[in-house]
Amino acid sequence: MGDLTIRLLMKNMMKRNVSISLFIVLVMLSPFGRASAYEDQKIIAGWVEDIILSPAQIRFRAKLDTGARTSSIHAKNVEEFERDEQSWVRFTLPKGLEKKAQATTVELPVVRKTRIKRHKLESAKRFVVELGFCMNSNYYETEFTLADRGNYIYPVLLGRRFLENKVVVDPSVTHKHSKKLKNIICSPGFPEPVLEE
């Protein structure tokens, strides 16, 4: 090959590399590119997943509901009391999914009180507490309203406040991550949330 041929080949290769680089930059700057990068930071979960509540280690089935703002958990015998000049609440959680599971009484500080609007009924006062739980082999904490969910299939509902920065819900799937919770002890020391591989 002559000098001129080599120079022409090098010039064409440089143009091609610049074109490829420019294409990659444009894709990354496009709305599609930004959305993809953002989605990669969240886990993809089914619309129903198992969770383990910490520290009680109770396994519940949870519905991931983008239509609900706040998460909710089935609680009975809800009773407010004062401890160290702070509002606390005592309540009973239902039996979990394990065969030998029993109802558990829990005491937690009240984060806030909220009023829930109900169709054709008076609004109801609900206590809000913060609970830790594990899902997808990760430990999370979020606020839950204490509600009588006895008429619902799922005792736990995970709403948008929890989902918005952590989970993308795939409505065609259930229990995408439930098996990952087998034989684990859920606690704040559990690994930080990990991204999908």
Side-chain angles (χ1 to χ4, degrees):
M1 268 190 214
D3 246 3
L4 182 60
T5 308
I6 291 173
R7 271 187 262 154
L8 285 172
L9 279 172
M10 292 294 284
K11 191 174 181 181
N12 283 339
M13 284 177 66
M14 287 178 66
K15 280 183 185 176
R16 188 173 180 197
N17 285 342
V18 168
S19 298
I20 291 170
S21 299
L22 184 59
F23 175 76
I24 291 170
V25 169
L26 288 174
V27 168
M28 292 302 288
L29 292 176
S30 73
F32 175 78
R34 284 198 304 272
S36 296
Y38 185 67
E39 297 295 330
D40 287 346
Q41 297 175 12
K42 301 179 183 183
I43 66 161
I44 298 171
W47 68 275
V48 174
E49 293 287 349
D50 287 358
I51 67 166
I52 295 179
L53 205 62
S54 172
Q57 303 304 314
I58 307 171
R59 188 178 183 124
F60 288 119
R61 198 140 286 156
K63 177 181 178 183
L64 284 62
D65 189 348
T66 58
R69 187 170 183 213
T70 306
S71 298
S72 180
I73 192 163
H74 181 50
K76 286 188 164 184
N77 310 318
V78 179
E79 177 188 349
E80 185 179 18
F81 65 97
E82 193 172 292
R83 180 179 286 166
D84 300 325
E85 298 180 10
Q86 186 181 357
S87 178
W88 279 59
V89 69
R90 179 182 299 114
F91 56 96
T92 304
L93 291 171
K95 296 177 182 180
L97 294 171
E98 287 82 7
K99 289 178 183 176
K100 296 180 181 179
Q102 295 180 356
T104 306
T105 300
V106 179
E107 295 180 352
L108 288 170
V110 174
V111 173
R112 60 189 168 86
K113 297 173 189 175
T114 187
R115 288 214 165 267
I116 305 296
K117 292 180 183 177
R118 300 185 298 172
H119 185 65
K120 294 184 180 180
L121 295 171
E122 287 185 28
S123 60
K125 180 180 79 170
R126 297 244 179 99
F127 295 101
V128 179
V129 297
E130 188 165 278
L131 289 166
F133 65 95
C134 291
M135 181 178 77
N136 180 44
S137 303
N138 298 320
Y139 178 82
Y140 302 100
E141 288 180 355
T142 196
E143 292 182 355
F144 287 87
T145 58
L146 302 178
D148 183 350
R149 295 185 55 80
N151 294 329
Y152 294 95
I153 296 170
Y154 304 104
V156 178
L157 182 143
L158 296 175
R160 288 192 311 273
R161 281 187 175 162
F162 166 70
L163 299 171
E164 64 185 352
N165 295 317
K166 301 170 188 74
V167 180
V168 174
V169 180
D170 182 345
S172 68
V173 176
T174 59
H175 302 291
K176 181 176 171 68
H177 301 289
S178 296
K179 289 181 181 177
K180 295 179 184 178
L181 296 178
K182 194 174 182 181
N183 301 322
I184 70 158
I185 302 296
C186 178
S187 70
F190 208 67
E192 288 297 311
V194 293
L195 303 180
E196 292 278 277
E197 293 179 4

